[in-house]
Amino acid sequence: MIKKFVIACGGTGGHLAPGIALAQKLTGEGHSCYLFISRKQVDTRLIKKYKDLNYVPVHGVGLSSNPFRLAKFLFTLFRNILYTYNWLRKWRPDAVVAFGGFISVGVVLSAFLLRIPIVLHEANRKPGRTINMMRRLASRIYLPEGIQLRGVRSSKIKYFGYPVRDEIYKHDTAEARRALELVPSGKLVVLIGGSQGASVFNEWVLDNFKKLAFEGIHVYCITGPMQGKDGFIEEQSRNGQKILATFK
C-alpha cells in the first residue's frame, strides 16, 4: 500500500543527510515523500544533487536565549506553523518524520494539531533540544543503542543507527587511500566537522599533530568550506618516518 510521508530534516547537513537517505528508501519502495528543509545555503547546495526528490524550503531560525534572536525565533516559528499546518492539512501525509533541528519544530507542532502520527529520529548520543522538546508528541522515537529519554515510555523507543544515502557505501581501504592521495598504509585518523566543517577540530589537529605524528598517526581533516584552507603539514614519527596531516 502506497503511503505519504513528510520528512522534516533541514538546518544542518547532519539533519538533512539522513532525511535524504530515508526519502531515497521510501520513494524506492513506491511511497510519496516531501522533504521540509531550511532556506540555508547548506540545504540548498546538498538537495540540488537529488533531482528525483520533492522538497519544500521553509523559513526558520535556531532557538536562542538572546532576547532579539528569541523574538525572531518565535515570530518565524509562528509563520512556519501557519504555513506547514495548511500544507499538511491539504496533502494529509500518513506520518511526519522529524530528524531534529529548528525546521522540525513547526512541522511537528502542525502534525500534532492535525493528529498526524509523528516519528522522531535522534542520531546523537546526547539528544538535541528539538527532540527533547517534541518527545511527548511522538508515536515512535528512534535513538542510538542504549539511550533513553526522560518521561518517555520504553515501548515508544526503538534503537536504530544513522540512515545512509544510497551513494555512500564501503570502499576498499587501499583504493580509498589512493583516491584521496593519502599514504598507502599506516595508522590514519579522519576528522569530519559536519557539512560546514568545525574550526575546533581543525585547531585541534594543528595543536596536537606533533604528538600524533610521534606515534606514527597520519591525519586527514575535512576542514569545511569556511573553516580552513587546503594543504598539509608534516612531522616525523619516533622512527624518523614522515607523517602527514592533510587538510581538505
Side-chain angles (χ1 to χ4, degrees):
M1 181 179 179
I2 295 175
K3 294 189 175 183
K4 300 191 293 186
F5 296 91
V6 162
I7 302 171
C9 57
T12 71
H15 294 125
L16 180 55
I20 289 172
L22 177 60
Q24 287 177 324
K25 176 67 173 177
L26 291 172
T27 55
E29 294 178 355
H31 302 295
S32 296
C33 291
Y34 273 90
L35 294 159
F36 272 57
I37 67 172
S38 79
R39 296 175 180 269
K40 290 173 62 177
Q41 185 180 5
V42 60
D43 285 13
T44 304
R45 186 174 64 244
L46 183 55
I47 199 65
K48 282 183 177 178
K49 294 172 56 180
Y50 303 92
K51 300 186 184 301
D52 56 330
L53 297 181
N54 299 313
Y55 66 94
V56 179
V58 294
H59 291 285
V61 295
L63 178 63
S64 172
S65 57
N66 178 284
F68 174 77
R69 292 180 179 175
L70 177 60
K72 188 176 181 180
F73 167 79
L74 293 173
F75 172 78
T76 308
L77 176 61
F78 179 71
R79 182 181 180 187
N80 189 320
I81 291 172
L82 284 179
Y83 178 80
T84 55
Y85 181 91
N86 288 319
W87 198 100
L88 294 175
R89 182 173 55 83
K90 291 175 183 176
W91 199 58
R92 203 71 198 187
D94 293 284
V96 163
V97 184
F99 282 87
F102 57 84
I103 291 300
S104 295
V105 179
V107 182
V108 168
L109 289 176
S110 297
F112 179 73
L113 293 172
L114 291 165
R115 299 184 182 278
I116 298 169
I118 297 162
V119 178
L120 302 180
H121 179 281
E122 175 59 74
N124 299 305
R125 297 197 66 81
K126 182 179 180 181
R129 283 186 294 188
T130 300
I131 298 299
N132 273 308
M133 288 169 55
M134 303 289 105
R135 68 187 189 278
R136 298 183 190 276
L137 308 183
S139 303
R140 173 79 70 217
I141 304 175
Y142 290 93
L143 297 172
E145 188 70 37
I147 302 301
Q148 294 288 337
L149 282 175
R150 181 172 52 83
V152 178
R153 298 194 309 271
S154 59
S155 59
K156 278 190 175 184
I157 295 174
K158 295 290 183 182
Y159 296 111
F160 194 79
Y162 190 87
V164 177
R165 287 166 286 161
D166 289 345
E167 67 270 28
I168 298 176
Y169 55 91
K170 188 174 182 179
H171 285 266
D172 174 75
T173 301
E175 179 185 333
R177 288 195 179 212
R178 283 195 299 271
L180 294 172
E181 300 179 344
L182 299 174
V183 291
S185 61
K187 297 176 183 177
L188 174 67
V189 172
V190 178
L191 290 97
I192 304 174
S195 57
Q196 301 178 75
S199 58
V200 65
F201 285 173
N202 305 340
E203 291 164 5
W204 183 88
V205 174
L206 293 171
D207 292 342
N208 292 275
F209 181 58
K210 195 164 188 175
K211 297 176 185 176
L212 294 169
F214 186 74
E215 299 297 332
I217 301 172
H218 299 271
V219 177
Y220 187 80
C221 182
I222 300 176
T223 61
M226 303 295 292
Q227 304 292 348
K229 297 180 180 179
D230 293 357
F232 68 91
I233 55 177
E234 66 176 69
E235 293 283 352
Q236 285 191 332
S237 70
R238 69 174 77 195
N239 299 323
Q241 179 188 3
K242 183 172 73 173
I243 306 294
L244 296 178
T246 303
F247 297 86
K248 286 285 187 179

